[in-house]
Amino acid sequence: MDTLEATIDTRPRHISPEEWAVRVDLAACYRLLAHFGWDDLILTHNSARVPGTTDQILINPMGLMFDEVTASNLLKVDLDGNLIEGSARPPFEFHIHSEIYRVRPDVHAVMHTHPRWSTFLTMTGAKYRAVYAQGALLGDDIPLVDSPLSVNTRPMGEKVAATLGRGPAVLLKSHGAVVVGSTLVECFALAAYLEENAYRQYMAMQIGDPYVFSEAEQQSFRERLWTPALFRKTWDHYHAKL
């Protein structure tokens, strides 16, 4: 059943309501990624910090198809990849998540996606430019990890985290994108804005040079649009399309 209801099953008694709510949203992300084509078979992965902890995260089990991920079968692991709860292995690129969480206490959700339009930009050397109001929330000229290799070691994860810096997103050359947020809803919304901006930028480039917002215009958009209400509205908008 390819619905959001499929992500929700009975809450085990040992899991707090706060953690369960995060699990349900995280499981829903997989339905959304698959529906909108931001996934790549079973190679995309998302995570969330376990509420009330600094060194535990929830992440999908390696090998599960997206419509098989539910709130209860998500893995709970520490930042070294050690299994705390679950019966499978975390994704090989687990280090993307662990190394960002180590250095960004403000981050509570990480999405690694393989979006089409954003990845096209990295394949050609074209820089991400803010051409769409919500796209300006990610800044102009998102940093790029100049390697298409899998981020399957701690040093590679550290490189991604260092390239990300204090920003909300980093692109991976010919590979995909990594977006972070203070909540899963914020993280998903920013990932959606990233891909929509890249799509508009790409299409405009087929005609000519797209208009790029000035720094003052970008700042204005960030001041007006960076709100939990907008992020929730974006989340609800995409949910409604499933």
Side-chain angles (χ1 to χ4, degrees):
M1 181 171 62
D2 189 23
T3 66
L4 290 179
E5 285 75 15
T7 71
I8 306 172
D9 36 25
T10 303
R11 176 172 69 88
R13 295 179 64 182
H14 70 283
I15 297 178
S16 70
E18 293 79 14
E19 179 181 328
W20 189 250
V22 173
R23 284 174 172 265
V24 170
D25 281 349
L26 183 55
C29 280
Y30 289 93
R31 298 301 197 284
L32 293 166
L33 290 175
H35 183 78
F36 293 105
W38 303 340
D39 62 317
D40 186 0
L41 299 176
I42 57 174
L43 302 179
T44 302
H45 29 88
N46 316 293
S47 67
R49 205 185 291 269
V50 176
T53 74
T54 59
D55 61 350
Q56 296 180 15
I57 68 172
L58 301 166
I59 197 166
N60 58 298
M62 186 173 68
L64 280 190
M65 300 301 292
F66 287 169
D67 61 1
E68 298 174 314
V69 177
T70 67
S72 61
N73 67 21
L74 288 162
L75 304 181
K76 184 186 293 187
V77 298
D78 66 20
L79 297 186
D80 293 320
N82 297 312
L83 192 64
I84 298 172
E85 186 173 325
S87 58
R89 295 176 57 186
F92 286 129
E93 291 190 310
F94 161 82
H95 302 278
I96 290 175
H97 306 263
S98 61
E99 299 316 307
I100 290 174
Y101 288 120
R102 284 187 207 277
V103 299
R104 291 283 301 271
D106 59 310
V107 168
H108 290 264
V110 176
M111 293 181 64
H112 170 48
T113 62
H114 293 171
R116 176 182 303 170
W117 306 104
S118 306
T119 304
F120 284 165
L121 297 180
T122 72
M123 294 168 69
T124 62
K127 294 182 178 180
Y128 175 98
R129 307 306 304 272
V131 299
Y132 160 64
Q134 284 87 337
L137 298 185
L138 294 114
D140 194 34
D141 193 11
I142 292 175
L144 174 72
V145 174
D146 195 21
S147 170
L149 299 180
S150 178
V151 187
N152 57 10
T153 66
R154 183 169 179 178
M156 283 292 290
E158 291 172 342
K159 181 177 181 179
V160 171
T163 305
L164 172 69
R166 304 303 301 174
V170 61
L171 295 171
L172 311 178
K173 186 174 183 178
S174 299
H175 182 166
V178 177
V179 181
V180 304
S182 62
T183 67
L184 267 168
V185 169
E186 177 182 298
C187 189
F188 176 83
L190 292 174
Y193 303 155
L194 170 72
E195 184 64 350
E196 179 62 25
N197 188 99
Y199 168 72
R200 297 186 185 206
Q201 179 183 346
Y202 176 95
M203 296 304 291
M205 288 167 62
Q206 310 313 302
I207 304 172
D209 293 328
Y211 176 74
V212 177
F213 297 146
S214 69
E215 180 53 43
E217 290 167 334
Q218 292 181 54
Q219 182 62 29
S220 177
F221 287 129
R222 285 192 286 270
E223 290 173 355
R224 291 191 298 107
L225 298 179
W226 192 287
T227 67
L230 178 64
F231 297 146
R232 173 59 64 176
K233 185 175 182 180
T234 302
W235 174 269
D236 292 343
H237 168 76
Y238 280 92
H239 271 215
K241 293 181 178 293
L242 289 179

